[in-house]
Every structure is written in structure tokens, then in C-alpha cells.
Amino acid sequence: MVQRNSPPDGMLNNRTIYVKADLANSNDIRSAVETVVKSLGGLDILVNNAGVMFEKTVDEMAEADWDHMMDINLKAPFLLTKAALPHLRNRTGASVVNIGSIEGLASKSWPSCIFRLKSRHSRVYRSSSGRSWA
């Protein structure tokens, strides 16, 4: 599991590990994938499910806010997939799952600059049994 905050107690075991990573940092992304592969012996599935959003109007949003949102919502899934693909290609039945948001289909009734492309966390999993799971 690659995410910003540690998961609840009891969620981790010999088949599920926690790797802290900043998904706006390409080195952290590469390192996270390599840590999972090394720790668990391979990679069966990548679930791109990370995202941030700001409920601000265009006038209120700073360029740095926009850049951060694009780094997490658009660039991170690309970089995670790029880092994971060589390992996924070595597995039978490996998958990449990209999760989007309902905000792509509908918006708030007030004008804003909301781009909620993903949910909360990005997860990189490998099942020790060789089966894919998420």
C-alpha cells in the first residue's frame, strides 16, 4: 500500500506492506514500486486511486495549487504505471486499474476550479499467492 498516512492497525501482514511516498515526487514513485517488488517478490496489480482537489474559484486558486493537483491527479498515475509496467509484464494476468471520480461527469452548482480526478490513495499490491487482488 503506497499512501501518505499509515493504515489502521491490523491491516498489514506478510502480503500487505505500507510504503510512504510523495506522489508528486518521481523518485518516491520509482522507489515505492521497487520496494514493493523487492519486499513481495513481484507485482500483480497497480491501482491508481490517488487524487487531490481544491474547492476554489479560478480567482482564488494559486498556480502552485494547480501544479500540485496536476502532479497528483495526472502525472502520478502515468509515472506509477511507467515504473510498474516492467514488473507487471513479468506476471500472468497482471492489471493496471485507473480509478476516476464522479466529478468528471458533474460539477457543483457554483463556479469553481474543481478537478477531482481520483480518490484518496494510490495502492500497489502483490498477492503472495500469485493471484491479483485489491
Side-chain angles (χ1 to χ4, degrees), residues 1-8 11-12 15-21 32 36 40 121-126 133:
M1 186 175 311
V2 178
Q3 62 186 42
R4 182 178 36 213
N5 300 314
S6 183
M11 192 171 185
L12 303 178
R15 297 181 343 169
T16 307
I17 64 169
Y18 166 65
V19 180
K20 185 172 183 165
V36 169
L40 300 174
H121 307 290
S122 183
R123 296 182 184 107
V124 181
Y125 290 117
R126 188 220 176 257
W133 53 277

Side-chain angles (χ1 to χ4, degrees), residues 84-102:
L85 271 178
H87 306 288
L88 294 169
R89 286 183 175 133
N90 292 330
R91 310 297 291 189
T92 301
S95 299
V96 175
V97 178
N98 293 308
I99 302 202
S101 168
I102 192 69

Side-chain angles (χ1 to χ4, degrees), residues 49-101:
N49 189 35
V52 297
M53 50 87 63
F54 300 98
E55 290 194 14
K56 297 180 178 180
T57 66
V58 172
D59 291 334
E60 296 167 340
M61 184 175 280
E63 185 176 349
D65 293 338
W66 177 263
D67 290 343
H68 180 70
M69 191 166 44
M70 293 300 107
D71 283 347
I72 301 300
N73 296 356
L74 297 176
K75 191 173 178 182
F78 164 74
L79 292 174
L80 280 160
T81 303
K82 186 175 177 83
L85 271 178
H87 306 288
L88 294 169
R89 286 183 175 133
N90 292 330
R91 310 297 291 189
T92 301
S95 299
V96 175
V97 178
N98 293 308
I99 302 202
S101 168

